[in-house]
């Protein structure tokens, strides 16, 4: 399996949005409602929003290409707290999970954090997303706190904030 990690470019965005839907529909029923899945996908993966993020300094999108096809993607951004990078998205094609792609993209986020003088990589993960929590623990994150965030339209994100010190 040949895996290449590289920055997402504008020509990838439609594929990234389609892959996001595929992964969310596989991972999130049973964790959040279908209405919340649709709402959050609409909020986060509208083409205009993705295009804007690609142009924003302080946000980095990366993809894992497997045998020429996008098998997963991630994004990270400078968090509100100085010295912290947030791994904001990490999604791997269900057909390619547990093959190390998530680990490769986490390593890339660590690299980006270090390049930007960050001391900590953080993320938010749904408390019931055991698969992801287990992957994050495996790669060195630990739970820092529990949060409930109102995201509008009556929906709430019931998350753990996990953190990994970088030295
Ligand atoms: C969580 C996720 C990003 C991990 O990426 P990945 O490429 O599958 O993970 P890796 O192959 O690098 O690491 C494997 C580890 O992930 C966890 N994992 C991945 N798939 C799993 C599964 N089906 N069941 C249980 N654990 C799983 C385990 O800890 C596993 O380690 P192990 O094989 O030693 O038990 C990926 O599974 C995914 O996209 N899940 C659905 C979407 C999601 O929840 N994203 C995170 C949002 S915060």
């Amino acid at each position: 399996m040949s895996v290449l990690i590289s920055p997402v470019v504008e020509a990838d965005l439609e594929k990234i949005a389609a892959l996001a839907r595929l992964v969310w529909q596989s991972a999130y029923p049973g964790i959040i409602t279908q209405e919340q899945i649709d709402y959050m996908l609409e909020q986060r993966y509208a083409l205009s929003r993705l295009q804007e993020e690609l142009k924003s300094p302080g946000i980095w999108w990366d993809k894992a290409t497997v045998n020429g096809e996008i098998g997963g993607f991630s994004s990270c951004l400078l968090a509100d707290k100085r010295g912290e990078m947030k791994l904001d998205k990490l999604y791997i094609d269900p057909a390619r999970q547990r093959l190390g792609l998530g680990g490769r993209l986490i390593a890339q986020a660590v690299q980006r954090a270090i390049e930007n003088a960050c001391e900590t990589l953080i993320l938010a993960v749904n408390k019931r997303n055991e698969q992801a929590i287990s992957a994050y623990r495996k790669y060195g994150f630990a739970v820092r706190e529990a949060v409930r965030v109102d995201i509008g339209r009556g929906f709430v994100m019931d998350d753990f904030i996990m953190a990994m010190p970088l030295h």
Side-chain angles (χ1 to χ4, degrees), residues 28 90 92 97-100 102-103 129 131 134-136 138-139:
Y28 289 139
L90 179 64
I92 308 298
Q97 288 174 8
R98 232 171 182 171
L99 298 175
N129 190 350
Q131 178 174 323
S134 138
Y136 293 138
K138 173 174 172 161
Y139 290 114

Side-chain angles (χ1 to χ4, degrees), residues 23-24 26-28 31 71-73 87-94 96-106 123-126 129-139:
V23 183
W24 280 55
S26 154
Y28 289 139
I31 295 182
F73 65 89
L87 178 60
D88 192 47
K89 298 182 174 65
L90 179 64
Y91 294 100
I92 308 298
D93 184 335
R96 299 195 188 278
Q97 288 174 8
R98 232 171 182 171
L99 298 175
L101 300 187
R104 293 282 304 271
L105 285 165
I106 290 170
L123 59 86
V125 59
N126 189 290
N129 190 350
E130 285 167 18
Q131 178 174 323
I133 291 169
S134 138
Y136 293 138
R137 283 193 199 285
K138 173 174 172 161
Y139 290 114

